[in-house]
Amino acid sequence: MAAYYVDSAGSNTSPYDTWAKAATSFATAVAAATASGDVIYVDQGFTETLAANTAYTFANHVSVICSNDKTNAPPQILGAMGASAWIGHTATSYQITINGGYKVFIYGLTFRTAGSSSAAQLIICNTDNAHFEFENVYFWTGSS
């Protein structure tokens, strides 16, 4: 079991195991978290603007926790992005897909899609007996 960190202020230095060496994209941390029990900590103020349709495929039983605690390792304080931070896009119609055949727990993230097309979608694929559990997660769809 390993801990991975995601923060725009990180140095994007593998193995992304501290806030200072944090991955600067959520996809990087998801790709790194391959062992059962791995945890991805995402900074509460992290915003990632996607440039294309994006799929996050979890390769094992993983937890994703949003936190505003950069003092403790592991973080002791939970946070939620809400409407002030997000993963997605504010104007372009991109799809965000969350998939994988495992048990995945996600706490406090905001996934955001927008645009004037029906292509702006949040897709959760429950394949191969996967189980996704979301707590305090904001699915923000701003399509017109």
Side-chain angles (χ1 to χ4, degrees):
M1 180 174 95
Y4 301 93
Y5 293 81
V6 180
D7 186 0
S8 354
S11 66
N12 204 39
T13 304
S14 181
Y16 323 107
D17 58 354
T18 66
W19 287 116
K21 295 191 298 185
T24 54
S25 85
F26 184 58
T28 299
V30 170
T34 58
S36 182
D38 283 353
V39 180
I40 300 169
Y41 295 103
V42 181
D43 177 58
Q44 180 178 347
F46 176 74
T47 295
E48 182 173 16
T49 301
L50 303 176
N53 292 341
T54 303
Y56 300 105
T57 302
F58 289 89
N60 218 316
H61 307 296
V62 173
S63 294
V64 179
I65 309 293
C66 185
S67 176
N68 63 0
D69 178 7
K70 291 189 177 181
T71 304
N72 297 296
Q76 303 299 305
I77 303 169
L78 301 178
M81 292 176 166
S84 59
W86 37 265
I87 297 169
H89 207 281
T90 60
T92 305
S93 299
Y94 292 133
Q95 292 178 352
I96 299 173
T97 304
I98 302 168
N99 59 31
Y102 299 93
K103 293 179 182 175
V104 177
F105 174 74
I106 299 177
Y107 179 91
L109 297 188
T110 295
F111 295 99
R112 183 175 184 178
T113 62
S116 59
S117 165
S118 61
Q121 300 174 12
L122 291 164
I123 303 169
I124 301 167
C125 299
N126 193 7
T127 59
D128 300 327
N129 298 316
H131 177 87
F132 293 96
E133 184 175 338
F134 300 94
E135 186 175 332
N136 208 20
V137 172
Y138 186 14
F139 297 105
W140 185 355
T141 55
S143 299
S144 57

